[in-house]
Amino acid sequence: MSGVRKFLNRVIYITIILLLFSCGQEKSAKHYFSLAVSKVKSEEYHKAVELFTKAIESDSTYGHAYYMKAQVLGMMQADKETICECIKKADEYGYSEAREVLENFCNDIPIDEFNKLKATFDSYIETNPGRFEGYFKRADLYF
């Protein structure tokens, strides 16, 4: 009987160690957020968006992560609807800076019209890469 008891004690001991080890492997939302910010600083925008998304998956009420994801999506020239979805979530979860962006950016031009104008400017820039007015006009859409 003592052999069975020793065996069970070892199984319990190993299970506890494995549980403790696996708990330490789980990353927090703040951890992913910090990694994402470092990716933004090194201009790795796609990776930053992935990491902000992981932060949001870890804490779906992390307003600052939604806001920063929207900012990076804007730098990547994502469509307005996608950006505004993140801004709305940031505002919903109490990130104060999101309110002004929501009022000034997301409510100005209807999304369909914005996307059409952006596509027009994108096309102009593609065919006239040396003409700066296309870049300026496209940038005006965001402000």
Side-chain angles (χ1 to χ4, degrees), residues 12-140:
I12 291 171
Y13 181 73
I14 291 171
T15 304
I16 291 171
I17 290 174
L18 290 173
L19 285 173
L20 290 173
F21 181 76
S22 66
C23 289
Q25 296 298 309
E26 194 172 309
K27 305 290 187 214
S28 71
K30 290 185 185 219
H31 173 78
Y32 288 121
F33 184 89
S34 295
L35 289 174
V37 169
S38 70
K39 295 300 178 186
V40 172
K41 289 178 182 176
S42 63
E43 299 180 8
E44 297 176 59
Y45 302 126
H46 290 282
K47 187 65 178 173
V49 168
E50 288 176 23
L51 290 165
F52 283 127
T53 301
K54 284 187 176 188
I56 291 164
E57 289 169 354
S58 294
D59 178 1
S60 63
T61 64
Y62 199 172
H64 195 185
Y66 283 104
Y67 183 80
M68 291 300 295
K69 180 178 177 180
Q71 295 296 315
V72 174
L73 288 169
M75 289 190 287
M76 294 170 57
Q77 300 177 356
D79 65 284
K80 184 176 181 179
E81 186 174 6
T82 303
I83 295 168
C84 289
E85 284 174 17
C86 289
I87 294 296
K88 287 175 187 171
K89 286 286 192 179
D91 182 58
E92 180 182 332
Y93 293 118
Y95 190 71
S96 60
E97 292 180 34
R99 174 58 51 154
E100 183 179 346
V101 176
L102 187 61
E103 290 172 357
N104 294 323
F105 174 66
C106 295
N107 294 331
D108 274 353
I109 302 172
I111 289 171
D112 291 340
E113 184 179 338
F114 174 90
N115 288 334
K116 286 177 188 173
L117 287 168
K118 183 181 173 297
T120 301
F121 294 129
D122 288 345
S123 175
Y124 179 84
I125 290 166
E126 189 175 310
T127 57
N128 303 287
R131 309 272 324 248
F132 293 108
E133 59 270 3
Y135 294 97
F136 292 129
K137 295 269 187 195
R138 183 176 65 190
D140 283 344

